[in-house]
Amino acid sequence: MSSNARIKVEKEFRVGEVDPRLYGSFIEHLGRAVYGGIYEPGHPSADEEGFRTDVLELVRGLQVPIVRYPGGNFVSGFRWEDSVGPVAERKKRLELAWRTIEPNTFGLNEFMSWCKKANTTAMMAVNLGTRGPDEARDLVEYANHPSGSYLSDLRIQHGYREPHNIKTWCLGNEMDGPWQIGGKTAAEYGRVALETAKVMKWVDPTIELVACGSSGTFMPTYPEWEATVLDHTYEHVEYISLHRYYNNTKRDSASFLANSLDMDDFINTVIATCDYIKGKKRSKKTINLSFDEWNVWYHSNESDKKLEPWQIAPPQLEDVYNHQDALVVGCMLISMLKRADRVKMACMAQLVNVIAPIMTENGGRAWKQTIYYPYMHASVLGRGTVLQPLVSSPKYDCADFTDVPYVETVAVHNEEAGELTVFAVNRHLTDALPFDIDLRSFGSASLIEHILMECDDVYAANTAEQPDRVAPRNGAGTVASEGAVFTAQLPKASWNVLRFKV
Ligand code: AHR
């Protein structure tokens, strides 16, 4: 067998349409995500509402279609009423999930204004930790009911005449986790999620709901949790959530880079579980997946332990990402694209400062972390139809996985633009790999560009002082074509975006 990696793309064999919401993100009231991140009145770039315009510009560059809010673990102790109305009257609260003080000077209505400026929409989570159906249906009434009821009129009195029409709602957060405020067993959660779903939809039948799945493949209750929760909620929700973060605490790059194999298994297992319950219930409805927390997370673990509790917006979860973290993020995006038929929403966790592609200094600069780039490329260029690729690649074994393909890849066809984009990660840490791309099913094809991100040091990162230490460049010229068969050189440890006119 040749040592080249290969992808053969058949234009008629479709996996599914990419739902743009696959490129969502997440803002939690945690660390400096809100205060000092998206919102900092007094910052030189702040607009009249206190939103940082330097951050808004970087967010717009990612073309983020949906942003999950306000948590995360935070939501499980949150009283949404604290975050609306005159700012001077809002209550400061002890926030138990992250042991901080929440000033509530930024809340639901401010977030909805920010979404408009960021060209995005909201995915709102309700508190099913300390609260239940009553507060959830109140929040839907406040946010989405046009007028003529106490809570919709209260919103109007707060200065927001038009309803926010928030379409997508999460029924709590990570309710399987012992760390969660008000954590539950699958049966306890299934019952409360069902009853909450019913009343939320009675207030606004146009909304769609995400039930909590497992917090990760490491949870002892996975995937029985999904089966039990869906047994209760199947006909009342549209999505089940998945969360997963990977780390390189063992400094074993070969294993770290292979983690998307775990993500593939996770996605396929949850799909199988959804379909098992569908069969069990003889249902005609299909439940799709919302991978609404995913990323690399570990760099800040030790420094976070040293933070004093009960501060406002301390620097929590401020991972500084290196080059290989960006490769893992690229592989995770490819995993989700490969199942674009069922993974309809996903949120990179998170967006600014907190395990985020965008970093800021309070009162100062904002810059792009390494992980910004694969996320941006996928979001901007990975729209259209995922095609079923035939892939072959040389493989390796490592401590955590066997038969890991060196090249992880997927192809997205944008028929409207007449473009095909191939995303590819070369996991090989020491060797470049030749990569054949067979586009003969399209008749003819020509290369538009080969964007690549490589780095001599997989531990190199971007900082305020060196914001462009790791950045993509144009690698055009590395591709030779023979009819519609191309061969690209994928540098060692690299993220590649190959764009073709087809
Ligand atoms: O994204 C950070 C945290 O990770 C979220 O609050 C929680 O849902 C998850 O454990």
Short mmCIF file of all heavy atoms in Angstrom, two decimals, residues 140 144-145 167 197-208 238:
data_model
loop_
_atom_site.label_atom_id
_atom_site.label_comp_id
_atom_site.label_asym_id
_atom_site.label_seq_id
_atom_site.Cartn_x
_atom_site.Cartn_y
_atom_site.Cartn_z
N VAL A 140 -39.50 32.11 29.72
CA VAL A 140 -39.96 32.09 28.32
C VAL A 140 -41.00 33.20 28.12
O VAL A 140 -41.00 33.90 27.10
CB VAL A 140 -40.54 30.71 27.93
CG1 VAL A 140 -41.03 30.71 26.49
CG2 VAL A 140 -39.49 29.62 28.12
N ASN A 144 -40.14 35.85 25.43
CA ASN A 144 -40.73 35.60 24.11
C ASN A 144 -42.17 36.04 23.93
O ASN A 144 -42.64 36.14 22.79
CB ASN A 144 -40.65 34.10 23.78
CG ASN A 144 -39.24 33.67 23.37
OD1 ASN A 144 -38.29 34.42 23.50
ND2 ASN A 144 -39.12 32.45 22.89
N HIS A 145 -42.91 36.26 25.01
CA HIS A 145 -44.32 36.61 24.83
C HIS A 145 -44.42 38.07 24.39
O HIS A 145 -43.75 38.93 24.97
CB HIS A 145 -45.12 36.37 26.11
CG HIS A 145 -46.59 36.35 25.88
ND1 HIS A 145 -47.22 35.33 25.20
CD2 HIS A 145 -47.55 37.27 26.18
CE1 HIS A 145 -48.52 35.61 25.11
NE2 HIS A 145 -48.75 36.77 25.69
N LYS A 167 -35.28 31.03 20.22
CA LYS A 167 -35.85 29.79 19.70
C LYS A 167 -35.32 28.54 20.42
O LYS A 167 -36.04 27.58 20.63
CB LYS A 167 -35.50 29.71 18.21
CG LYS A 167 -36.20 28.60 17.52
CD LYS A 167 -36.07 28.62 16.03
CE LYS A 167 -36.79 27.40 15.50
NZ LYS A 167 -36.26 26.76 14.40
N ALA A 197 -40.33 21.02 29.96
CA ALA A 197 -40.52 21.13 28.51
C ALA A 197 -41.98 21.42 28.18
O ALA A 197 -42.29 22.29 27.36
CB ALA A 197 -40.07 19.84 27.84
N LYS A 198 -42.87 20.72 28.88
CA LYS A 198 -44.30 20.90 28.57
C LYS A 198 -44.72 22.35 28.79
O LYS A 198 -45.31 22.97 27.90
CB LYS A 198 -45.14 19.98 29.48
CG LYS A 198 -45.23 18.56 28.94
CD LYS A 198 -45.65 17.54 29.99
CE LYS A 198 -46.89 17.87 30.78
NZ LYS A 198 -47.17 16.82 31.81
N VAL A 199 -44.39 22.91 29.96
CA VAL A 199 -44.90 24.27 30.24
C VAL A 199 -44.18 25.32 29.41
O VAL A 199 -44.78 26.33 29.02
CB VAL A 199 -44.88 24.62 31.75
CG1 VAL A 199 -45.92 23.79 32.50
CG2 VAL A 199 -43.50 24.48 32.38
N MET A 200 -42.90 25.09 29.12
CA MET A 200 -42.19 26.07 28.28
C MET A 200 -42.83 26.13 26.89
O MET A 200 -43.04 27.19 26.31
CB MET A 200 -40.70 25.71 28.16
CG MET A 200 -39.90 25.96 29.42
SD MET A 200 -38.21 25.32 29.31
CE MET A 200 -37.39 26.58 28.33
N LYS A 201 -43.17 24.96 26.36
CA LYS A 201 -43.78 24.93 25.02
C LYS A 201 -45.25 25.39 25.05
O LYS A 201 -45.76 25.84 24.03
CB LYS A 201 -43.66 23.54 24.41
CG LYS A 201 -42.23 23.26 23.90
CD LYS A 201 -42.14 22.00 23.10
CE LYS A 201 -40.77 21.87 22.46
NZ LYS A 201 -40.55 20.58 21.80
N TRP A 202 -45.90 25.25 26.21
CA TRP A 202 -47.26 25.79 26.29
C TRP A 202 -47.21 27.33 26.23
O TRP A 202 -48.10 27.96 25.69
CB TRP A 202 -47.96 25.31 27.56
CG TRP A 202 -48.38 23.86 27.48
CD1 TRP A 202 -48.50 23.12 26.34
CD2 TRP A 202 -48.69 22.99 28.56
NE1 TRP A 202 -48.87 21.84 26.64
CE2 TRP A 202 -49.01 21.71 28.00
CE3 TRP A 202 -48.74 23.12 29.94
CZ2 TRP A 202 -49.38 20.61 28.77
CZ3 TRP A 202 -49.11 22.01 30.71
CH2 TRP A 202 -49.42 20.77 30.14
N VAL A 203 -46.16 27.91 26.78
CA VAL A 203 -46.02 29.37 26.68
C VAL A 203 -45.65 29.76 25.25
O VAL A 203 -46.22 30.68 24.67
CB VAL A 203 -44.94 29.91 27.66
CG1 VAL A 203 -44.72 31.41 27.45
CG2 VAL A 203 -45.32 29.62 29.10
N ASP A 204 -44.70 29.05 24.65
CA ASP A 204 -44.28 29.38 23.28
C ASP A 204 -44.04 28.08 22.51
O ASP A 204 -42.97 27.47 22.60
CB ASP A 204 -43.01 30.23 23.31
CG ASP A 204 -42.58 30.62 21.90
OD1 ASP A 204 -43.18 30.11 20.92
OD2 ASP A 204 -41.66 31.44 21.77
N PRO A 205 -45.03 27.68 21.70
CA PRO A 205 -44.90 26.40 20.98
C PRO A 205 -43.85 26.42 19.88
O PRO A 205 -43.55 25.38 19.30
CB PRO A 205 -46.30 26.19 20.37
CG PRO A 205 -47.18 27.24 20.94
CD PRO A 205 -46.33 28.33 21.48
N THR A 206 -43.28 27.58 19.58
CA THR A 206 -42.30 27.63 18.48
C THR A 206 -40.88 27.28 18.94
O THR A 206 -39.97 27.15 18.13
CB THR A 206 -42.26 29.02 17.82
OG1 THR A 206 -41.68 29.95 18.74
CG2 THR A 206 -43.64 29.49 17.39
N ILE A 207 -40.68 27.16 20.25
CA ILE A 207 -39.30 26.94 20.72
C ILE A 207 -38.87 25.48 20.51
O ILE A 207 -39.71 24.60 20.34
CB ILE A 207 -39.12 27.31 22.22
CG1 ILE A 207 -40.01 26.44 23.11
CG2 ILE A 207 -39.40 28.79 22.43
CD1 ILE A 207 -39.77 26.68 24.60
N GLU A 208 -37.55 25.26 20.51
CA GLU A 208 -37.03 23.89 20.48
C GLU A 208 -36.13 23.68 21.68
O GLU A 208 -35.50 24.62 22.17
CB GLU A 208 -36.32 23.59 19.16
CG GLU A 208 -35.30 24.61 18.76
CD GLU A 208 -34.65 24.29 17.45
OE1 GLU A 208 -35.25 23.61 16.61
OE2 GLU A 208 -33.49 24.73 17.26
N GLU A 238 -36.10 18.20 21.14
CA GLU A 238 -35.61 18.02 19.77
C GLU A 238 -34.16 17.54 19.75
O GLU A 238 -33.72 16.96 18.76
CB GLU A 238 -35.70 19.35 18.99
CG GLU A 238 -37.11 19.71 18.54
CD GLU A 238 -38.06 20.01 19.67
OE1 GLU A 238 -37.65 20.70 20.64
OE2 GLU A 238 -39.22 19.56 19.62
#
